[in-house]
Amino acid sequence: QISAILGPCAGGAVYSPAMTDFIFMSKNSSYMFVTGPEVLKTVTHEEVSSDYLGGAEAHTKKSGVADFSFENEVIVLEQIRRLVDFLPESNSSEQKVKKYIDDSRGEIISLETLVPKDKNKAYDIKELIKNIADELDFFEVQRDFAKNIVIGFIRIEGYTIGVVANQPLELAGCLDINSSRKAARFVRFCDCFNIPLLTLVDVPGFLPGTDQEFNGIISHGAKLLFAYGEATVPKVTLITRKAYGGAYDVMSSKHLRGDINYAWPSAEIAVMGAEGAAKIIHKGVDENTLKNNINKYEEKYATPYMAAARGYVDEIITPSVTRVKLISAFKVLRGKELKNPWKKHDNIPL
């Protein structure tokens, strides 16, 4: 179900779009709120405009209630057509396949230099997403909300794939409350409509801080864990760089029934970073000894090889062959059938 807000939507009426799968808004002409500016002025003495309180920017950047906003109604309707083009007719229909124009892309050499050698330097994960997609076409969902995670649809060999990816350009790719909610809802949507999932991982951990803890990062992070754990669609994961601790776990790891998990040679899979781990394990040692221990930890654990030896990674691949490997992975998983044990309904940590 898709909602298009093309004018005012207030009071109890806002709950109709709130229950649909995607919400589109038109900038400068649409707004949504439960209580309007006049009520606010009377009750809380706040003076705000309708646009500031419930306009497209408020709901696509701050609240995350809306998924898309565009300049006018015509563009909104055009983009709804584009979204529908990616989606199956229903949850019981066959997978959506678009006529595939074979662009004969084999190895993509530019991906070899995507991840910087300096571990503290950022890069744009959208470059990877576009390069592995048919015709470089990526339809991003909730582009302006929780930018530290990227979600949206691509096609691989004509088949629709849902993508969830950490974005190193924002908060170094850390997971926080908003990004966990955003990704969890998208994962559940894809699972509802049998859309396979591709997860691209570069996550140093959950965002630390009292604000996050007091606002329930534990239960919000658990939503993403729950969503991946219950998903029965094909799940392919690629670790490009950092994959640390609990954040590694929740990003469609092997422990959450990931079907095929790849890693680039630049991947670092560990409980935490080398420096943090060395300072805890070798507390109280002099600086030179600490540096040596950090180097030893990096060599032994900050690589994908230990995880691969334990079976948590299926294959370590060179970046240039990523698209080829993903094509074969999703092809193998096309007939996947998996059912969860019967229950009245699940109890996701809301």
Side-chain angles (χ1 to χ4, degrees), residues 41-209:
K41 191 175 178 181
T42 306
V43 178
T44 67
H45 308 294
E46 290 177 88
E47 289 196 34
V48 293
S49 67
S50 294
D51 194 53
Y52 179 81
L53 181 64
E57 190 167 314
H59 288 310
T60 52
K61 289 185 179 179
K62 296 173 185 174
S63 71
V65 168
D67 302 283
F68 306 93
S69 70
F70 298 101
E71 290 303 321
N72 56 55
E73 289 91 339
V74 174
I75 301 173
V76 166
L77 298 174
E78 283 176 351
Q79 293 301 314
I80 289 173
R81 289 167 71 110
R82 190 174 173 218
L83 173 62
V84 169
D85 196 38
F86 277 97
L87 305 180
E89 289 176 18
S90 73
N91 63 348
S92 58
S93 62
E94 293 294 312
Q95 258 189 293
K96 190 78 171 268
V97 190
K98 193 172 185 180
K99 193 174 180 183
Y100 171 57
I101 302 167
D102 186 5
D103 51 14
S104 299
R105 276 183 292 157
E107 292 191 14
I108 304 167
I109 303 302
S110 62
L111 293 181
E112 294 289 346
T113 53
L114 179 67
V115 176
K117 288 183 180 178
D118 184 346
K119 294 176 182 179
N120 296 315
K121 276 192 176 176
Y123 62 95
D124 190 354
I125 200 69
K126 292 180 194 177
E127 287 296 313
L128 172 57
I129 297 169
K130 287 173 184 173
N131 269 291
I132 58 181
D134 292 355
E135 301 166 25
L136 308 176
D137 184 26
F138 172 47
F139 187 54
E140 189 174 353
V141 179
Q142 286 195 309
R143 183 181 59 201
D144 299 318
F145 178 68
K147 290 183 177 181
N148 44 325
I149 206 156
V150 175
I151 59 173
F153 299 103
I154 62 171
R155 291 186 182 89
I156 292 181
E157 282 202 318
Y159 287 85
T160 298
I161 306 290
V163 178
V164 178
N166 304 113
Q167 175 58 289
L169 289 178
E170 295 284 334
L171 297 175
C174 274
L175 285 171
D176 62 356
I177 289 170
N178 286 341
S179 60
S180 297
R181 282 173 44 221
K182 171 181 170 179
R185 179 166 169 80
F186 184 74
V187 168
R188 297 192 98 208
F189 172 82
C190 290
D191 191 44
C192 282
F193 291 92
N194 299 311
I195 298 169
L197 284 161
L198 170 63
T199 308
L200 305 174
V201 184
D202 185 350
V203 62
F206 280 93
L207 186 68

